[in-house]
Amino acid sequence: MTNPTAAPLGGDFLVVWQDYRGSPTNDFEATVYGARVLGDGSVADPNGVAISSALGGQGTAAVGTHGRDAIVVWQDFRNNPRTTLADIFGAPVSATGTPMVAPDFEVSTVANTESSPTSAGNGTNFLVVWADNRNAPVTATDIYGMRLDQAGGLVDTVPFPICAATNDQAHPAVAAQGGNWLVVWSDWRLSTNAIHSDIFGSLLGPTGLVLQPEGIPICTAVNDQDLPAAAALGTNFLVVWQDGRRSSPTATQIDIYGARVSGNGNVLDAAAFPICRNSGQQTSPAIAANDSQALVVWTGGRSGATVNQVRFARVATDGTVLDTNGIPICSTSAPQTAPAVVANGQGYFVVWADWRASAANAPDIYGAWVGTNGAVSPAGGLPIRIGVGIQTTPTVAFNGLDYLVAWQEALAGLTNLFSIAGTRVGSDGTVSAGLLLNIDSAGTSYSAPVVRVGADGRFLVVSQRAQFGSARTVANLVDLQVIPRLDAPAWLPNGQFQFQVHGAVGERYAIQASDALTNWIQIGTITNLVNPAPFADPAASQPPRRFYRALLLP
């Protein structure tokens, strides 16, 4: 079982993966399986449910959800077994229906290869897009799409071309805004000998009408512009990419560029604008957006620097880059890699792997909260996890109250066996002191954690577990709300000391006290009938100082 992915499904989660349980001997033909993980953390389908088990092999699944329903799409080789000629199939999945998975359906089954499917929902329908080489002798690889309704029905009876220009179009990405979709891709139509790509895109209306049938140029500068990503920003879209316009035949120079596309499909920044144009290589941009601005993060170097650092720039809705050439999240002499970012409606939280405390190849996890004013808190970065061995590949999600940061953590200081660990970070960027969550360590080794947030604010952490020479898909539900927090200390007029206990409503907590953080005694229990709930210690004035903690009771 490999390549897991997950998405919220109402108050539950849908986990989908490639499964080899029915593969013919030595053929290694995967099928697509899924399972629902309920809001209480229980697995509704412990043996998995075959979403597609046709002969020939299926894989590279993607999931789009809306409420209690989902669409799973994948590459399918049933019509061309033992070849590289894949079709696009899909199936609706319901959290409540019987059966859970409806029969699969053809999205596209023409000859040749349709690959890299992805989708986005506009609240009414899904748009599924992919790279398609049905016209390879004439136009090489093109971008095609189809709309599906929320039940998985085909809104369009046949796939339609989003772009079928000459040479290749590839690497599609899609974002939704106000009922419309913007599809962007890497495009080689203008390149002599098809060696350099540009960024093109097209807006699609809610009815599926392609408003720019052959695509519009978003950026056609010299050399390569590649690997676009898009996000809704205000009433427009912001597209960002890696840009090689300053490269020469003898030296590569990669910068970060961007351009806005209006909600009606007009490119607002015809020449594009540099987000970071400096010495050194700027690579791997990631983006998160609020209604009023976007935050672009990347790994970037500077001339003469021996290490790369995580940098960021804010981009306003009018296209103004508020932090020209990028601002380092924190300036250290150690490498910083693998940034991830999430928006919280008012600001952003960025996490990364950081080598500052490492004497060998053993990074730690750091983070920082970036406000909409560009202020970084704390200025030197926030140590989220500093351990003996390797902590790497952080991921982050936000549930409206807290962030969950998860990562791979080396077991007992080893370099090749990992557990999945995590911690809670408050919305202001403060780490819950002493809270290290052992999310999963029961197997041999874990990797590639991904965090998703459910409708009820709980987190699902999906990862791959190495077991018996193969990879297994595993998931863990993390409920940060049950972990107690104490705040709002105050002396009452009657001489008692009071504070508030934050926790899940209905849970019981033991309140303990200590005079020196060594010997703890229980001074009471509390059931959170409301959250937060007040707790008063009548004996608080007796010792010269007193410390408190709360423990969740079974």
Side-chain angles (χ1 to χ4, degrees), residues 385-412:
R385 171 60 173 163
I386 298 179
V388 175
I390 297 173
Q391 293 84 40
T392 190
T393 320
T395 181
V396 60
F398 183 64
N399 68 356
L401 178 64
D402 295 308
Y403 302 92
L404 176 64
V405 183
W407 61 87
Q408 293 178 211
E409 170 134 345
L411 294 171

Side-chain angles (χ1 to χ4, degrees), residues 335-347:
Q336 301 157 4
T337 60
V341 59
V342 65
N344 66 8
Q346 298 177 339

Side-chain angles (χ1 to χ4, degrees), residues 176-189:
Q177 169 68 272
N180 294 330
W181 292 280
L182 178 68
V183 182
V184 295
W185 61 86
S186 301
D187 196 299
W188 282 262
R189 75 181 71 180

Side-chain angles (χ1 to χ4, degrees), residues 138-475:
V138 179
T139 61
T141 301
D142 303 316
I143 306 299
Y144 271 69
M146 289 190 73
R147 291 175 303 143
L148 312 178
D149 62 26
Q150 297 294 337
L154 298 177
V155 178
D156 306 296
T157 57
V158 295
F160 56 86
I162 296 172
C163 181
T166 58
N167 295 338
D168 283 328
Q169 290 78 48
H171 311 147
V174 59
Q177 169 68 272
N180 294 330
W181 292 280
L182 178 68
V183 182
V184 295
W185 61 86
S186 301
D187 196 299
W188 282 262
R189 75 181 71 180
L190 302 178
S191 175
T192 303
N193 299 323
I195 58 174
H196 293 303
S197 60
D198 301 306
I199 304 300
F200 274 65
S202 182
L203 192 74
L204 280 69
T207 63
L209 177 66
V210 181
L211 302 179
Q212 296 94 7
E214 286 301 296
I216 56 172
I218 295 174
C219 182
T220 59
V222 296
N223 298 329
D224 278 321
Q225 291 77 46
D226 201 4
L227 302 177
L233 176 59
T235 58
N236 302 315
F237 299 92
L238 177 62
V239 184
V240 298
W241 60 88
Q242 294 184 182
D243 195 295
R245 68 183 67 191
R246 294 200 295 143
S247 294
S248 70
T250 59
T252 299
Q253 176 63 59
I254 306 298
D255 303 312
I256 306 298
Y257 270 69
R260 293 170 302 140
V261 178
S262 71
N264 58 9
N266 296 319
V267 178
L268 302 178
D269 309 290
F273 54 86
I275 295 173
C276 181
R277 186 179 185 272
N278 210 316
S279 59
Q281 306 301 323
Q282 322 302 319
T283 61
S284 305
I287 184 172
N290 294 312
D291 291 336
S292 60
Q293 66 175 219
L295 188 76
V296 183
V297 299
W298 65 92
T299 299
R302 292 294 184 265
S303 179
T306 58
V307 299
N308 288 328
Q309 295 180 325
V310 175
R311 298 177 180 272
F312 74 86
R314 294 167 298 142
V315 181
T317 54
D318 64 359
T320 301
V321 179
L322 304 179
D323 313 292
T324 56
N325 289 326
I327 296 175
I329 289 285
C330 62
S331 296
T332 71
S333 59
Q336 301 157 4
T337 60
V341 59
V342 65
N344 66 8
Q346 298 177 339
Y348 315 89
F349 193 59
V350 183
V351 296
W352 66 90
D354 193 297
W355 273 259
R356 75 182 70 180
S358 173
N361 185 24
D364 301 306
I365 305 300
Y366 275 69
W369 191 83
V370 180
T372 55
N373 62 354
V376 179
S377 175
L382 179 73
I384 295 174
R385 171 60 173 163
I386 298 179
V388 175
I390 297 173
Q391 293 84 40
T392 190
T393 320
T395 181
V396 60
F398 183 64
N399 68 356
L401 178 64
D402 295 308
Y403 302 92
L404 176 64
V405 183
W407 61 87
Q408 293 178 211
E409 170 134 345
L411 294 171
L414 301 175
T415 60
N416 60 348
L417 298 178
F418 293 89
S419 64
I420 303 299
T423 194
R424 178 180 60 190
V425 179
S427 59
D428 61 353
T430 57
V431 180
S432 296
L435 176 62
L436 179 65
L437 302 174
N438 181 15
I439 295 175
D440 212 335
S441 62
T444 303
S445 188
Y446 297 80
S447 62
V450 176
V451 182
R452 296 289 186 266
V453 178
D456 61 358
R458 286 180 284 187
F459 300 89
L460 186 73
V461 182
V462 179
S463 61
Q464 291 186 187
R465 182 177 69 197
Q467 184 175 359
F468 307 122
S470 62
R472 305 297 186 195
T473 300
V474 296

Side-chain angles (χ1 to χ4, degrees), residues 481 485 499-509 526-535:
Q481 298 177 63
R485 289 181 293 178
F499 49 85
Q500 292 185 329
V501 181
H502 292 259
V505 173
E507 295 289 350
R508 293 179 63 246
Y509 298 93
I526 185 173
T527 299
N528 277 32
L529 300 178
V530 295
N531 189 36
F535 182 86

